[in-house]
Amino acid sequence: MAENGIGASVPRTEDHRFLTGTGSYTDDSNLPHQTYAAFVRSTHAHATVALDTSAAAAAPGVVAVLTGTDLAGDQVGSLICGWVVTGKDGEPHKAPPHPALAADTVRHVGDAMAIVVAESARAARDAAELVKVDYTPLPAVVSMRDALAEGAPQIHAEAPGNLCYDWEIGDRAATDEAFGRARHVARLDLVNNRLIPNAMEPRAAIGDYNPATGDYTLRLTSQNPHIHRLVLAAFVQIAPEHKLHVIAPDVGGGFGSKIFIYQEETAVLWAAGKIGRPVKWTADRSESFVADAHGRDHETHVELALDEGGRFLGLRVETRANMGAYLSTFASCVPSYLYGTLLQGQYTTEAIYCEVKAVFTNTTPVDALRGAGRPEATYLIERIVDQAAHDMGIDPAELRRRNFIPADAFPYPTKVALEYDSGNYGLALDRALELADYNGFAARRAESEAKGRLRGIGLSAYIEACGIAPSQVVGSLGAGVGLWESGGIRFNPTGNVLVYTGSHSHGQGHETTFAQLVSDYLGVPFENIEVVHGDTEKTPFGMGTYGSRSLAVGGSALVKAMDKIIAKGRKIAAFSLEASEEDIEFSGGDFKVAGTDRSMNIAEVAFSAYVPHNYPLDELEPGLEETGFYDPANFTFPAGTHVCEVEVDPETGTTEIVHWVAVDDFGNVINPMIVEGQVHGGVAHGVGQALLEGCAYDADGQLVTGSFMDYTMPRADDLPDLTVETTCTPCPHNPLGVKGCGEAGAIAAPAAVMNAITHALGTGAIDMPATPQAVWRALNQ
Amino acid sequence: MDITGEYRIPLPREAVFAALNDPDVLGRCIPGCEALEQVDEDEYSADVVAKIGPVKARFQATITVSNLNPPESYTLSGEGRGGAAGFASGSADVSLETVDEDTVLRYTASIRPGGKIAQVGSRLMGGTARKLGAEFFSRFVEVVTPAPLSDERGPAGQEE
């Protein structure tokens, strides 16, 4: 293994600038003649509105006050949902208009109605408060149950009954038949709590318009600058793609929330064109709470049918999924194709049927959040498996083992449309149990009981579909885009390398991992490699980062580009070394004539490529730069087992996580330290969901957990030291054999925590977040 | 959100009731009140600056008095609009009881906050309402009580 090659725990090169405050985030940019924007947002969940902007427009420093009426007047297009889900009735989902500024009706607290542009951020905010909004409140629907009730207030004329879609997957008849044969049926009603993403860096955008060329530039916090450009050009139609330059510089965390094309960046870009000056907006934390797409928010009834030996015969799932007030960019696919398709879990369940109603409510839109659909699937599977184990008196680890898809059964076609490519679930479970000292639990429980504490241990044997995604598959399911990725390799004449990726790093460490990959593959010193991402004018068109896809799809695209580089290098070396191309071998950065000591380093090849003084130009093209596009043949399927051990104080309901074991199969690993860091972050995210984070609205649709006073994020002292290991069944269909690791922790953790708590309490009647109050109530009611 | 409270006022019930329906007294006693006007027999409008947690705003309030049953009880309802800070609407049932020489005022209020007040101030509403209530009644007693011949409390007063 090379010092900085594949498999080395290379310290992250990007961390120096992040940790020394020298990163360059959107808000760090300031353009000449820049103005500042503030948004006027609805304080009501549902109302018709009339705006009087005269006082604001006359306020000191104000450049412009633009409203939804102005936006409509300029025929700026609606925000879109990029994935059309087809319901049981064969009809496409309902995607009502979502203007960047609401003109006459607001549908959630925080819905933007006007943008105030001024010479300073303070002047913009002050003037925004002067916009007089005359609200005529309309009845709001907040809970999904109320939204679906007969006679409920209607949020969109286009979506009767507030129903976005009623979707199904699996085989209902086969599942009914399986339940008919069951010896036992386990049942649970579960809520997957609504989460607010809270990336450390709030969203920000700077729109710029150059009247000389007609070019627009948008700098913003995006996980996928090309998708932003595509949507703003092709659908919102502010400028055509070749006239719109999108830059996503350093981005301080996304977790999904910066995938989407939102009201604010759209309005900022449009406003910049209207006033002919750059317009900058940076969200404050309060805005982030109401304006960033929320995550999860499912209500589910789940039933698992088992035979007398505890084998899973059938799984039946009925879910209501909250879409919020508008259909966000990828909202529709989260509780359908990223959820229902994962209900096989790690098990050989013989029949599965799932139906999902996606519901509009007068709340902030809900979309993908770290894991996106897959945490919801894992949560219900792993909770119902534990419930069944409890009901039938079978050890939860043993029950899982009995039902695992065997290691020799891959590729394994699931009952819910996927084909698992590789895995060894028993191996991960066994190792996790060993690291968790599962067999010694009874003694530890006795010790806890002696102190008056309750102790529980919980398993979560999760699976996810990552490496998103094979374009042919997602296209057939309604996705409006392909989900391939691009990668480019440019050698400079002096032999160093620029690596271009269409994926985007906002904390994942691409600049290190991709440099390791290229260093290892091309034999270029690690420090001679620069990874370039996040700029539509620098990188080839790419789909961005989400769904744990960057390495599996983006890294594979780089491999394709590097294969082309090597092929070209071989031609150049053959010419320079006066050998035949077939005799040139490439290894460790050297092109060598087989069986001789004649060789050329790839840096020399690059120099030659740019100084082609004697090239036979009809045979050999100068330059050494190649681009690769990779479309995966299948999803990847990271899987593993997490074990959580908790101690609960029955007097206060406080839960302490005392031990955590994660054994994950991510396939091959490029940088083990980065992978472990991603697992740590994911577990923290999942623990936050399980114990702390609960977004709440009151009956009027007011967000009452709208600040860190009321919405609790996980902190370091909420977590124990984590024991993290990996197993490896390489992904068989991408050239790197990698599966992806960014979401695994967030997918695995909630079920592990909750199974540990229900084990400690002896009752399954508890939902997330398991706050001290919730735990105390479960114990005492 | 429901809030209840109770204050003992060292004045006879009739005097308390009358003063509670006197716009001049209310204007002087409502904390942060910048203007108060009786726009109808049973309706007032007011401009009040209030601070709820980190949110400070000027509210334009309309208050309606109903269920008048002098001197025992009445109901206040209304709403305040604080612009970008949000709004609050609600109602309060107020009852007065004579206990010894004093009047005990009890209220049960229901408040529905909206916008930023709800977002960052919900958990502070109860405490803020109680604090404002206490301020109101402490001024109310001062304003309504006939001026004494000499200040028996001394120069420092009785401040909390």
Side-chain angles (χ1 to χ4, degrees), chain A residues 252-311:
Chain A
F255 313 110
S257 70
K258 292 170 182 169
I259 297 171
F260 319 122
I261 291 78
Y262 287 97
Q263 290 184 311
E264 294 83 2
E265 55 250 34
T266 306
V268 157
L269 188 64
W270 165 68
K274 291 224 38 119
I275 67 165
R277 291 173 64 183
V279 179
K280 179 184 206 172
W281 166 76
T282 303
D284 64 25
R285 188 56 68 179
S286 287
E287 285 184 287
S288 301
F289 270 91
V290 296
D292 289 4
H294 294 175
R296 315 243 154 78
D297 202 346
H298 284 199
E299 295 167 2
T300 294
H301 178 74
V302 53
E303 300 181 345
L304 179 66
L306 303 95
D307 72 9
E308 63 283 355
R311 263 165 296 273

Side-chain angles (χ1 to χ4, degrees), chain A residues 411-579:
Chain A
Y412 183 84
T414 74
K415 302 293 185 294
V416 273
L418 296 177
E419 183 176 277
Y420 292 170
D421 55 1
S422 64
N424 189 337
Y425 307 139
L427 184 68
L429 175 73
D430 290 345
R431 183 60 182 151
L433 295 179
E434 187 184 337
L435 290 168
D437 185 22
Y438 193 70
N439 293 331
F441 175 76
R444 296 194 296 279
R445 175 177 261 185
E447 281 173 31
S448 295
E449 281 171 355
K451 295 184 293 181
R453 301 286 168 89
L454 306 172
R455 198 175 186 101
I457 191 165
L459 306 181
S460 176
Y462 74 97
I463 190 163
E464 46 175 333
C466 295
I468 288 174
S471 297
Q472 196 178 343
V473 174
V474 296
S476 72
L477 301 178
V481 289
L483 286 168
W484 46 268
E485 194 47 86
S486 65
I489 302 285
R490 177 190 293 172
F491 271 83
N492 293 317
T494 52
N496 49 35
V497 177
L498 292 167
V499 175
Y500 299 91
T501 175
S503 65
H504 183 271
S505 183
H506 32 279
Q508 294 89 344
H510 292 36
E511 292 167 38
T512 307
T513 303
F514 284 0
Q516 283 179 257
L517 169 61
V518 171
S519 174
D520 196 286
Y521 214 81
L522 295 181
V524 175
F526 180 80
E527 59 275 15
N528 289 355
I529 299 166
E530 185 76 12
V531 177
V532 179
H533 62 93
D535 188 324
T536 58
E537 288 194 353
K538 290 181 180 167
T539 69
F541 194 102
M543 304 309 296
T545 287
Y546 37 82
S548 303
R549 70 189 301 274
S550 291
L551 185 59
V553 190
S556 297
L558 286 174
V559 170
K560 296 203 91 166
M562 290 191 288
D563 285 341
K564 293 181 188 175
I565 289 279
I566 293 167
K568 173 84 178 280
R570 191 175 270 130
K571 278 191 179 36
I572 294 169
F575 167 74
S576 303
L577 298 170
E578 297 178 331

